Amino acid sequence: MAAVVRTRLSRSVMGRLRLVSQGLAGPAFESVPGAVRGMTAMQAQDLQAALWAVGQRVPGSRAADVRASLDRGEIVRSWPMRGTLHLLAPEDLKWVLDITSARLIKGLAGRHRELGISAADVDAAADAALQRVAGGAAASRAELFQAFEQAGQSTAGQRGIHLLGTLCQRGLLVLGPLAGNQQLVVAFDDWIKDSRRLGREEGIAEWLLRYLYSHGPATERDFAWWSGVPLTEVRAALADVRDRLAELEFDGKTYWLSPQTAALLDGAVPGQRTVLALPGFDEFLLGYTDRSIALHAQHADKIVPGGNGVFKKTLVAGGAVVGTWAAPGNGRSGAIAPEPFDDVNGLRPAARKSFELQAAKYRRFLGLDRT
């Protein structure tokens, strides 16, 4: 039976427990591959934001380190869930796709009809793509789209990216090494030599456990949304793994997390004075269907203006999102500045100093400061 932790909780404490689970407070991850593997999956449609998301969790790392891990195939980037790019450990991608791909592809059927993409079109694109990247070759997106066109498959509008995404979801292609700020496309089996094989029930149970260890405190509904796994299957998996989890009751909901993280409630939970400059799309905010622990609803429009799906960089203090921050020229020109929600009082002096340290860390990560 799961251990039940009965401690007076607050949103700040819950947010700080999440910081610990995600390697953002307390012990951090020791390497780039270790961070991605430990996080289970990290949203990565914005490549530069994804690099910094990893960098924030690996002390002393640089953007060049994360890029090198992508180039060596130590971490991979693909469309495993929610139709969105994520970073994963390479050995995990295949079994995750085995769980998610059928539902993902079915969910896109309507859009594919609008784009005139049939099953035969996908097969034709697959043949063309695999010929283009045969023998370990890599292709740019433009080169791959050219191969599609030569096979009679238009790439106009969003048709090309939908064909590419579908072939990645089928486990035929994957994004490989970088060429500047673009990732080349490679054959899945050429790039990923060692894939784990898990049955569906076993895979969902492991995925859920790893998510709750890396994102907890979180609810079963958080995981169902995050992974795209039906809630009925999530609940069955939770019954299998709950004896390895701690349980918290907060604000009328049941949350789950690792016993190691829950044990921090017996003393001081780290992160009370931690100030972080997190990238847009970071898992600390995006990793949950209910984001109210870290972000008050009144400020949601300041993070995703107009609900357009584009998340701004977040300023986090004490486990809560307290503002955004700006880095003109991606930090290469102009001052890196905080933009707190409280535009009257701003940041207190100690928090301002902590943000300045974060700005310096960001510039070092980009290789702009050598100190």
Side-chain angles (χ1 to χ4, degrees):
M1 185 175 180
V4 179
V5 180
R6 302 188 185 281
T7 302
R8 185 176 179 180
L9 297 169
S10 65
R11 292 188 184 280
S12 174
V13 169
M14 294 286 281
R16 280 149 46 202
L17 289 170
R18 287 181 175 177
L19 290 179
V20 172
S21 294
Q22 294 206 17
L24 292 167
F29 295 104
E30 295 181 356
S31 68
V32 169
V36 173
R37 186 172 290 107
M39 285 294 296
T40 316
M42 300 177 70
Q43 193 150 331
Q45 69 267 53
D46 182 323
L47 178 60
Q48 298 307 313
L51 299 181
W52 178 227
V54 176
Q56 276 285 46
R57 292 164 169 85
V58 183
S61 63
R62 302 290 185 265
D65 301 323
V66 189
R67 292 172 65 93
S69 281
L70 284 165
D71 287 341
R72 291 191 294 263
E74 296 170 344
I75 59 176
V76 293
R77 187 167 170 245
S78 191
W79 286 270
M81 58 221 229
R82 303 200 312 276
T84 301
L85 284 161
H86 284 75
L87 295 175
L88 294 91
E91 70 272 13
D92 289 333
L93 180 55
K94 180 63 176 174
W95 67 264
V96 167
L97 286 172
D98 287 345
I99 293 170
T100 63
S101 61
R103 197 172 189 211
L104 283 170
I105 292 170
K106 182 179 180 180
L108 288 168
R111 180 60 177 142
H112 283 188
R113 283 193 295 271
E114 292 175 0
L115 293 169
I117 297 175
S118 67
D121 293 326
V122 174
D123 289 341
D127 289 342
L130 292 175
Q131 288 180 25
R132 178 61 184 81
V133 298
S140 68
R141 183 177 295 186
E143 290 168 338
L144 192 70
F145 283 13
Q146 184 179 31
F148 289 164
E149 294 279 358
Q150 291 172 348
Q153 296 302 315
S154 170
T155 59
Q158 291 189 323
R159 203 170 187 277
I161 193 62
H162 273 266
L163 288 169
L164 171 58
T166 299
L167 298 183
C168 288
Q169 288 162 356
R170 282 189 171 190
L172 299 174
L173 302 176
V174 67
L175 300 183
L178 288 160
N181 287 323
Q182 180 184 180
Q183 267 187 287
L184 303 180
V185 181
V186 292
F188 190 109
D189 290 339
D190 288 338
W191 192 247
I192 301 177
K193 301 293 188 181
D194 186 16
S195 292
R196 296 179 63 208
R197 296 285 181 175
L198 298 176
R200 184 174 180 86
E201 290 183 6
E202 179 187 12
I204 293 172
E206 175 172 323
W207 204 11
L208 172 63
L209 185 66
R210 287 171 61 177
Y211 168 83
L212 293 171
Y213 271 51
S214 61
H215 289 69
T219 68
E220 58 187 17
R221 290 185 181 277
D222 285 326
F223 176 73
W225 171 83
W226 182 83
S227 65
V229 174
L231 187 58
T232 53
E233 291 185 278
V234 173
R235 286 173 172 161
L238 182 58
D240 289 338
V241 302
R242 62 184 298 160
D243 62 339
R244 287 178 274 174
L245 295 163
E247 179 181 351
L248 298 177
E249 297 294 330
F250 178 70
D251 202 20
K253 296 180 182 178
T254 301
Y255 291 81
W256 304 89
L257 68 167
S258 75
Q260 294 84 354
T261 302
L264 296 171
L265 292 167
D266 294 334
V269 178
Q272 186 171 3
R273 293 180 175 83
T274 298
V275 174
L276 295 166
L278 296 182
F281 304 102
D282 193 87
E283 286 290 317
F284 178 69
L285 188 58
L286 259 72
Y288 314 87
T289 187
D290 179 0
R291 297 169 184 140
S292 62
I293 293 283
L295 178 65
H296 285 288
Q298 71 190 83
H299 299 308
D301 195 58
K302 298 172 184 175
I303 301 299
V304 192
N308 63 5
V310 179
F311 282 65
K312 298 181 72 173
K313 301 177 181 69
T314 52
L315 179 63
V316 174
V321 178
V322 299
T324 61
W325 58 284
N330 201 25
R332 289 174 169 80
S333 61
I336 298 173
E339 299 173 346
F341 296 147
D342 185 348
D343 54 10
V344 175
N345 299 311
L347 296 178
R348 293 180 179 180
R352 166 68 71 164
K353 179 61 177 178
S354 294
F355 177 81
E356 290 171 358
L357 294 174
Q358 282 283 292
K361 178 181 177 180
Y362 181 61
R363 290 181 60 83
R364 285 194 301 272
F365 178 77
L366 296 177
L368 302 177
D369 289 342
R370 301 299 178 182
T371 57

